[in-house]
Amino acid sequence: MILRDYQQAAHDAAISWVKKCIEPSLIIAATGAGKSLIVAAIANTIHKMSGKKILCIAPSKELVEQNHGKYLATGNPASIYSAAIRKELKHPVVFGSPQTVMNSLRKFGDGYAAVIVDEAHGITPTMRRILDHMRTQNPKLRILGLTATPYRMGTGYIYGHHFERGPVDEDQAKDPYFHTCIYEIGARFLIERGYLTPI
């Protein structure tokens, strides 16, 4: 698996962050940027660095399968823990769905170095319970989110700081889950580079 330059840059930003900070971080990646490939690369690197397990969560069966498939392209095996597909934990990198993980929380403990959350704008009460539980098991757990839509009606931005623009005004980010947006891949950038078709 060979990443595009911006995917590699997003990966590098994530690894740099987790090496120095335990606060939850976020990557904004427009639809079409290849989030699945970024998730796979980050999961693979953190597992190799830490020797611990990685949990990658996505909200739908289709995304779990897609992300799992892209991880296999790294040349490494991975497990799926989603009731709609199958439930196994034999490999160190696990792709799961929130409700299935929630129903077996005791299986997700201090052996995990990181949780990567796809569609991270949907940090539901279920997701918070999973992350809170895993943080109690491993206080140094790294949490990384990826989303194309970092703004939610009613609560604003889901991050409190931006790596280029600095702090977000309090009235624009009410109790954001993610501490910092560490990298951003915009649709305009992808169009200008020829990866997306103009409207």
Side-chain angles (χ1 to χ4, degrees), residues 76-155:
N76 298 289
S79 294
I80 287 182
Y81 203 79
S82 175
I85 310 167
R86 64 180 175 273
K87 295 198 291 186
E88 62 175 17
L89 294 171
K90 63 183 178 181
H91 300 298
V93 176
V94 179
F95 291 83
S97 54
Q99 196 57 55
T100 307
V101 171
M102 183 67 209
N103 291 341
S104 302
L105 263 186
R106 68 187 183 282
K107 296 181 179 179
F108 297 88
D110 62 357
Y112 285 80
V115 179
I116 302 173
V117 182
D118 197 1
E119 302 294 329
H121 53 275
I123 293 284
T124 61
T126 296
M127 274 302 311
R128 281 186 180 256
R129 285 180 63 190
I130 292 168
L131 296 172
D132 289 347
H133 164 80
M134 294 182 73
R135 264 267 164 96
T136 61
Q137 302 298 305
N138 175 13
K140 294 182 179 179
L141 184 79
R142 274 33 177 198
I143 299 169
L144 172 72
L146 291 94
T147 186
T149 52
Y151 189 90
R152 300 193 73 177
M153 295 299 290
T155 57

Side-chain angles (χ1 to χ4, degrees), residues 153-172:
M153 295 299 290
T155 57
Y157 289 101
I158 61 172
Y159 58 87
H161 293 76
H162 189 280
F163 72 103
E164 287 182 330
R165 297 188 288 275
V168 178
D169 290 339
E170 287 184 19
D171 61 337
Q172 291 186 314

